[in-house]
């Protein structure tokens, strides 16, 4: 585990893209354009996937996974910064849909508990799955939360993501809230782990 470096931009973008391909395609354009948007956000301080909030896991000298985590209270400002960056990269006739989906997502996403470290994205590169990368990233988040005086770690995932849900529940995360699907936002489950 280590903080992300400038040279990790592409590997981090590829990992974070896996957390919401449909969303990143909407915000950035399909495929390569979406990856370039994530790379730009990684290079821009203050976004929800800026380098300063990304931790990477390395295996065999490669980035095996990435996690973006920050104080829950920073979430709205960081998402707005990402949205502004995305809008600058999209043609004006696409803005209304991007803004509409961003607002809708903000209203229908689980609200993390105050005074928690919020994991906005956590992903393992496909070739490194089933090797403990996600569990190690969760441990890193829990350690960072304790060091920074947070009372909990929070995150959310699609309710249909059974592998992620099993991991979180197996590591002591409790369901905090469940949010029904509201097109185009899927049904989501918010988790929290209280730190003692």
């Amino acid at each position: 585990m280590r903080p992300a470096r400038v040279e990790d931009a592409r590997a981090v973008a590829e990992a974070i893209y896996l957390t919401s391909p449909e969303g990143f395609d909407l915000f950035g354009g399909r495929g390569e354009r979406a990856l370039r948007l994530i790379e730009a956000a990684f290079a821009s301080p203050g976004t929800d996937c800026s380098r300063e909030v990304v931790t990477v896991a390395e295996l065999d000298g490669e980035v095996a996974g990435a996690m973006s985590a920050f104080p829950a209270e920073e979430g709205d400002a960081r998402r707005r910064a990402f949205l502004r960056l995305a809008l600058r990269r999209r043609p004006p006739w696409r803005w209304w849909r991007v803004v509409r989906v961003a607002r809708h997502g903000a209203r229908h996403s689980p609200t993390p508990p105050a005074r928690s470290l919020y994991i906005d994205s956590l992903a393992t590169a496909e070739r490194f799955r089933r090797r403990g990368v996600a569990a190690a990233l969760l441990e890193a988040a829990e350690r960072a939360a304790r060091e920074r005086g947070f009372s909990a770690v929070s995150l959310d995932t699609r309710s249909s993501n059974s592998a992620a849900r099993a991991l979180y529940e197996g590591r002591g995360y409790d369901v905090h809230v469940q949010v029904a699907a509201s097109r185009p936002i899927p049904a989501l489950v918010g988790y929290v782990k209280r730190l003692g």
Side-chain angles (χ1 to χ4, degrees):
M1 292 307 119
R2 63 171 174 78
R5 300 180 191 133
V6 171
E7 60 269 20
D8 297 326
R10 177 46 64 130
V12 167
E14 289 172 350
I16 289 177
Y17 177 82
L18 296 173
T19 66
S20 181
E22 305 88 1
F24 287 117
D25 285 350
L26 170 69
F27 284 95
R30 297 206 180 273
E32 181 61 29
R33 288 186 306 219
L35 291 171
R36 286 196 307 264
L37 169 61
I38 300 168
E39 287 177 309
F42 179 77
S44 301
T47 73
D48 53 3
C49 54
S50 303
R51 184 169 55 92
E52 79 265 8
V53 297
V54 174
T55 301
V56 299
E58 275 188 334
L59 279 176
D60 306 327
E62 295 181 58
V63 172
M67 172 182 66
S68 169
F70 44 80
E73 291 79 8
E74 294 178 7
D76 289 340
R78 287 186 175 279
R79 280 184 281 283
R80 281 193 304 271
F82 180 86
L83 177 60
R84 284 191 301 274
L85 183 64
L87 290 173
R88 286 196 301 266
R89 302 172 73 85
R90 298 296 278 159
W93 58 88
R94 301 262 189 221
W95 292 355
W96 72 271
R97 182 151 195 266
V98 171
V99 170
R100 184 173 55 89
V101 170
R103 286 182 179 157
H104 187 71
R107 284 191 307 269
H108 293 283
S109 294
T111 301
R115 297 287 310 135
S116 67
L117 182 70
Y118 175 67
I119 299 174
D120 186 66
S121 57
L122 186 152
T124 302
E126 290 184 31
R127 68 185 176 282
F128 292 108
R129 291 195 176 151
R130 311 308 264 171
R131 294 179 61 184
V133 173
L137 286 165
L138 286 172
E139 285 178 26
E142 293 161 18
R143 188 171 43 256
R146 282 187 184 94
E147 289 169 0
R148 294 169 68 182
F150 291 103
S151 60
V153 176
S154 59
L155 54 86
D156 52 72
T157 191
R158 292 174 183 227
S159 61
S160 62
N161 190 342
S162 56
R165 293 186 68 183
L167 171 69
Y168 305 145
E169 291 169 16
R171 295 203 41 83
Y173 286 75
D174 296 315
V175 173
H176 170 66
V177 65
Q178 295 188 38
V179 180
S182 178
R183 286 198 60 182
I185 310 301
L188 300 168
V189 179
Y191 283 95
V192 65
K193 183 173 184 177
R194 304 281 174 199
L195 303 175

